[in-house]
Amino acid sequence: MKKGILSFFLATLLFIVTFYLSAQLLSISRDYSLWGVGALLGFILIFVIDTLYIQQLAKFLPSKWTIFISLFGVLLFAFISLPSLRFATKVLPTVISFVLGVLAAAVYASGLRKRYLYTFLIALFPFLLNLNIYSTWVHYIEFGNTSGEVSALRSVPFSALDKNGKEVNSEQLKGKVVLLDFWFIGCAPCWKKFPDLQRFHEQYGDHPEVAIFAINRPMASDHPGQSFESIQKKGYDFNVLQGDQKIMDDFGIYVYPTVVVLNKDGKIIFMGQLDEAITSVEEALQE
C-alpha cells in the first residue's frame, strides 16, 4: 500500500516537473535568438531528472513508466499551449529536444555497452541547435527568409500619424532609406530592443537620407496617445508613429518586433531583426 502511494506521488511529481519545465523553457525564448538555449536547457534538465528517476527510484517507478510519464508531460504541454500552427512549427525543434532528453536518459541508465556514445549522439541535436541553426530556423518561419534580405522587392504604400496627429506617408519618404520598427506596448522583446533602436537613432537620426520610425500596433487595451507616452517615459526620443491593422497586414507583420528597411525607391529590401537591419541601412546608403 505504502509503495503504491509513493509510486503515485513520484509519478505525479515527475509529470508536474516535466510539464512545468516545458512551459518555463519555452517562455524564456520570446527573443528568437534564445530558442536554442531553451532547447538545450530543456534537454539537459529533463535528461538529469529522468536519469535520477530511472537509476535511483526504479523500484518505486519502473523505467517504462518514467519514460511514458515524461513524454506525456512534454507532449501534453505542447498540445494544449501552442496557439497556432505557425508557433508550433517554430518550437518543434525545442519539443523534439525535450523528447530526446527522455530518450537519452533511458539510454544512459540502461547499462548498454555503448551507452555513453549513444547518449552523446542523441545530445548532438540540442547542442547543435544552440549554435546559429535554431535562430536561422525561427527567422525563416517568422520572416520568410534566413538573413533578413528580401529577394522579391516590393513597395507598400502606407500612412500613419505622429504624436501631433500629422500624417507621415511613404510618398514623403521617397529618396530616403527608411527603417520601420513594428511593435506593440505589451511586447517584451520589443522593449528589449529599444535601447539599440535609440542608439541607432542617435547615430543616424540627423542624417538627411535616413528616416527611422517605430510604428505602434494599437491594442484594444491601449488608451489614446499611450504609445507616445510610454516611449517618452522611458527616455527614448526616436520617432513614433501610430499605425493600424491595415499597415500590419499590408507589410505582412505577424511577429513582433519586426523591422523593415525600405530603399530610396520605397521598396522593401529587408525584413527581420534590428541588428541585421542596421547593416542593411548602412549598405543601402552606399548605393
Side-chain angles (χ1 to χ4, degrees):
M1 181 67 177
K2 290 183 179 180
K3 182 178 178 180
I5 294 174
L6 183 57
S7 299
F8 178 79
F9 171 77
L10 291 173
T12 303
L13 182 63
L14 177 62
F15 172 78
I16 293 173
V17 169
T18 306
F19 189 95
Y20 181 77
L21 279 178
S22 300
Q24 293 302 309
L25 290 167
L26 279 177
S27 69
I28 69 169
S29 305
R30 290 183 175 183
D31 183 341
Y32 86 105
S33 64
L34 294 177
W35 285 111
V37 177
L40 178 59
L41 284 177
F43 174 87
I44 293 173
L45 291 174
I46 291 176
F47 168 76
V48 170
I49 292 168
D50 278 24
T51 300
L52 176 66
Y53 262 76
I54 293 173
Q55 290 184 334
Q56 304 298 326
L57 304 173
K59 63 180 179 179
F60 299 106
L61 196 65
S63 301
K64 291 182 179 179
W65 276 100
T66 297
I67 296 169
F68 173 78
I69 292 168
S70 298
L71 290 176
F72 182 68
V74 171
L75 297 177
L76 181 64
F77 169 77
F79 178 76
I80 68 176
S81 65
L82 304 185
S84 66
L85 180 60
R86 185 189 191 92
F87 187 77
T89 305
K90 184 166 65 174
V91 301
L92 180 61
T94 295
V95 175
I96 293 174
S97 293
F98 294 173
V99 170
L100 288 179
V102 180
L103 177 61
V107 170
Y108 182 81
S110 66
L112 290 174
R113 183 179 177 184
K114 296 184 178 181
R115 60 176 181 159
Y116 297 109
L117 174 62
Y118 296 146
T119 303
F120 171 76
L121 292 176
I122 294 172
L124 281 179
F125 180 81
F127 271 91
L128 288 175
L129 286 182
N130 200 37
L131 302 176
N132 199 40
I133 297 174
Y134 206 166
S135 60
T136 301
W137 164 273
V138 175
H139 200 287
Y140 180 78
I141 293 172
E142 291 189 338
F143 307 114
N145 58 70
T146 58
S147 64
E149 295 181 2
V150 177
S151 56
L153 305 185
R154 63 188 179 97
S155 298
V156 178
F158 71 93
S159 65
L161 300 178
D162 66 13
K163 62 181 179 181
N164 298 316
K166 183 180 178 181
E167 181 184 81
V168 176
N169 61 56
S170 50
E171 285 300 316
Q172 299 168 356
L173 299 173
K174 289 286 182 67
K176 294 185 177 184
V177 178
V178 182
L179 183 145
L180 305 175
D181 187 344
F182 293 89
W183 67 290
F184 65 93
I185 290 175
C187 171
C190 300
W191 289 100
K192 183 178 179 180
K193 292 293 184 181
F194 279 159
D196 294 333
L197 182 63
Q198 177 65 28
R199 284 189 287 271
F200 183 66
H201 167 72
E202 291 170 358
Q203 182 179 359
Y204 283 98
D206 294 328
H207 195 293
E209 295 183 336
V210 176
I212 303 167
F213 298 99
I215 300 185
N216 174 257
R217 175 192 175 185
M219 308 298 285
S221 58
D222 296 352
H223 63 71
Q226 186 175 355
S227 59
F228 305 110
E229 295 170 5
S230 61
I231 292 295
Q232 187 176 12
K233 285 181 180 179
K234 292 292 185 179
Y236 301 129
D237 63 352
F238 48 76
N239 297 311
V240 178
L241 297 178
Q242 185 62 62
D244 54 27
Q245 190 58 49
K246 183 179 185 304
I247 294 179
M248 310 301 158
D249 293 341
D250 289 347
F251 274 98
I253 306 299
Y254 305 105
V255 178
Y256 298 87
T258 293
V259 177
V260 173
V261 177
L262 312 178
N263 64 14
K264 294 178 181 179
D265 296 325
K267 294 184 177 180
I268 299 173
I269 58 173
F270 178 93
M271 179 177 286
Q273 293 289 326
L274 180 61
D275 297 340
E276 294 84 0
I278 292 174
T279 302
S280 180
V281 170
E282 293 171 344
E283 291 175 351
L285 286 173
Q286 304 302 319
E287 297 178 356

